[in-house]
Amino acid sequence: MLEGLLEQLENTDYVPADVWQRLLSVTDAVSLAFISSRARDVARASFGTGVYVRALIEISSYCSRGCYYCGLRCANRTASRYRLTRQQILECCRTAAERGFNTFVLQGGEDAAMTDEWLAAVVGEIKALYPEKAVTLSVGERSFEGYTLLRKAGADRYLLRHETADDEHYARLHPASMNGEKRRMRLEWLKSLGFQVGAGMMIGSPGQQLHHLVEDLLFLDRLKPQMIGVGPFIPATGTPFENEPAGSAELTLLVISLLRLRFPHALLPATTALASLAQHGTLKGILAGANVVMPNVTPSEVKGKYTIYNNKKSTGTESLQGLRALEEELQSIGYHIDYGRGDYKTDNHV
Ligand code: SAM
Ligand code: SF4
């Protein structure tokens, strides 16, 4: 029976809600191991044993939004705030380039001081210095004109998790000023502008039920993003959800495997949240079918201030030593770092 359900993921144009529901409900260890090993095989067929690395630069911890789950929300008085200068961002890129990274990911809160024009100028400078490298942005909801400017400046990819595809659940997680439909529409805009886009959701966010995850998977199936980020919800001090329980690492791994089976070529990170919650979370993510890791190269003087959630893992991979440690960890399970740009490829493009 399980095999029949998995075949539907791999071979049919449309996966109905009840198939997702049944697969998400799997809890016995033998079936979970079977799904994971099948997902791993699919990932290996697409990417071999290479794991792409992206240099993550957390450019600002200021945010004007109020997402209830996030430690950077504007009303969080306990959060430390910083904003990298243009020079600091370029310096991070230089260090990352020396280490061999071919993608820079600029992520931050929705910081009003980081205007579209300012960011576009920074992206332009990075692309002028490193024309062959990819720039990924993850700086929230902007206008169509803003995204256009950033794309024209040379940004290649954009991460904007949809967070939850269910509007009622979205309203449980965000203040009334935010709107799930408008956020999802932005993913369409970004696609239309030629960005490789990343959507995704937290696993175990407060109020999340299995049927919400089913909606998320149906939404992702329609959107067909090139990248999908899923990680467990982890409570953050100073937020309305500070006392809520964290999401489950096991369910996160199952969702990663199901995504891998449905999207054989998608770029799926083993997220920092997963690494923060579970021992050997990165390796578990890779063995479940993920194929991307995003080492944090934010300058050490501000690192630790980007407190999206409590006990966020700091990998130290900005140093050569840290990268070697990651390589060794990956080798222990038969994988290695792939320093390629790691663009989205389909069979047609390989
Ligand atoms: N501000 C941008 C945005 O919201 O798209 C980018 C930065 S935001 C911190 C990146 C992602 O962190 C969010 O999309 C959300 O899914 C995740 N996140 C925020 N708070 C979290 C928490 N408490 N636990 C796990 N993930 C969280
Ligand atoms: Fe701001 Fe993003 Fe955190 Fe929401 S998730 S509060 S937009 S940094």
Side-chain angles (χ1 to χ4, degrees):
M1 191 195 75
L2 179 60
E3 194 130 352
L5 293 173
L6 296 180
E7 253 160 44
Q8 288 201 53
L9 289 199
E10 293 180 79
N11 300 320
T12 59
D13 286 342
Y14 174 70
V15 178
D18 67 296
V19 171
W20 286 121
Q21 173 93 30
R22 283 158 74 189
L23 285 167
L24 286 167
S25 307
V26 170
T27 50
D28 73 284
V30 174
S31 302
L32 288 173
F34 181 74
I35 295 172
S36 172
S37 113
R38 189 136 159 178
R40 190 154 65 238
D41 289 348
V42 170
R44 281 196 181 217
S46 296
F47 307 103
T49 52
V51 174
Y52 292 125
V53 283
R54 322 297 203 191
L56 176 64
I57 310 168
E58 294 162 336
I59 59 176
S60 172
S61 69
Y62 285 93
C63 188
S64 56
R65 298 274 187 187
C67 309
Y68 298 149
Y69 43 83
C70 179
L72 302 188
R73 70 193 302 268
C74 53
N76 188 358
R77 297 270 153 75
T78 69
S80 314
R81 309 290 178 177
Y82 70 88
R83 178 182 301 125
L84 297 187
T85 62
R86 169 190 148 275
Q87 290 89 332
Q88 282 177 306
I89 296 173
L90 291 174
E91 185 56 29
C92 288
C93 292
R94 193 178 63 79
T95 312
E98 280 170 11
R99 304 278 179 264
F101 286 94
N102 271 304
T103 293
F104 310 125
V105 181
L106 275 50
Q107 192 189 78
E110 293 195 24
D111 178 352
M114 292 198 165
T115 61
D116 299 329
E117 291 72 20
W118 183 88
L119 252 184
V122 174
V123 170
E125 278 194 72
I126 298 173
K127 291 296 281 195
L129 287 166
Y130 311 101
E132 75 293 354
K133 298 191 193 290
V135 172
T136 304
L137 295 176
S138 177
V139 284
E141 295 180 36
R142 292 175 174 257
S143 66
F144 187 80
E145 293 69 34
Y147 289 141
T148 308
L149 204 63
L150 295 168
R151 178 78 184 122
K152 282 198 178 136
D156 304 272
R157 310 178 188 139
Y158 205 101
L159 305 174
L160 187 77
R161 288 185 178 182
H162 67 283
E163 313 295 1
T164 170
D166 181 280
D167 287 333
E168 269 177 35
H169 188 221
Y170 193 91
R172 166 92 206 270
L173 300 178
H174 301 93
S177 55
M178 295 180 74
N179 178 304
E181 200 181 324
K182 286 193 179 153
R183 191 164 178 96
R184 295 193 294 277
M185 186 180 71
R186 281 173 167 74
L187 285 162
E188 297 292 349
W189 288 356
L190 290 161
K191 264 187 120 173
S192 74
L193 288 167
F195 282 100
Q196 293 176 45
V197 303
M201 61 279 181
M202 286 172 285
I203 305 298
S205 56
Q208 186 183 67
Q209 293 172 19
L210 224 50
H211 73 89
H212 294 133
L213 279 178
V214 171
E215 280 185 59
D216 287 326
L217 293 165
L218 290 170
F219 167 73
L220 291 169
D221 218 7
R222 288 192 298 276
L223 180 70
K224 300 195 184 354
Q226 287 87 6
M227 305 170 280
I228 307 173
V230 291
F233 160 76
I234 301 176
T237 302
T239 67
F241 294 156
E242 64 182 354
N243 295 317
E244 295 287 335
S248 143
E250 287 68 33
L251 184 57
T252 304
L253 293 167
L254 173 61
V255 172
I256 290 174
S257 294
L258 297 179
L259 287 169
R260 171 55 68 216
L261 292 168
R262 186 63 184 159
F263 304 97
H265 302 284
L267 298 150
L268 301 181
T271 57
T272 308
L274 179 60
S276 303
L277 188 71
Q279 238 200 338
H280 305 301
T282 302
L283 299 186
K284 286 178 181 163
I286 302 299
L287 292 172
N291 73 312
V292 174
V293 178
M294 293 165 66
N296 194 328
V297 302
T298 307
S300 48
E301 56 276 22
V302 295
K303 218 178 188 180
K305 289 190 177 177
Y306 195 80
T307 45
I308 314 176
Y309 44 79
N310 300 340
N311 305 318
K312 182 162 155 263
K313 193 175 174 194
S314 182
T315 50
T317 25
E318 70 285 357
S319 65
L320 254 187
Q321 240 175 351
L323 264 181
R324 269 196 217 114
L326 175 66
E327 179 73 42
E328 277 170 25
E329 262 200 282
L330 291 175
Q331 279 181 6
S332 74
I333 55 163
Y335 286 73
H336 63 273
I337 295 177
D338 183 332
Y339 284 96
R341 249 176 74 120
D343 286 300
Y344 181 80
K345 294 191 193 96
T346 64
D347 284 336
N348 301 335
H349 299 122
V350 172

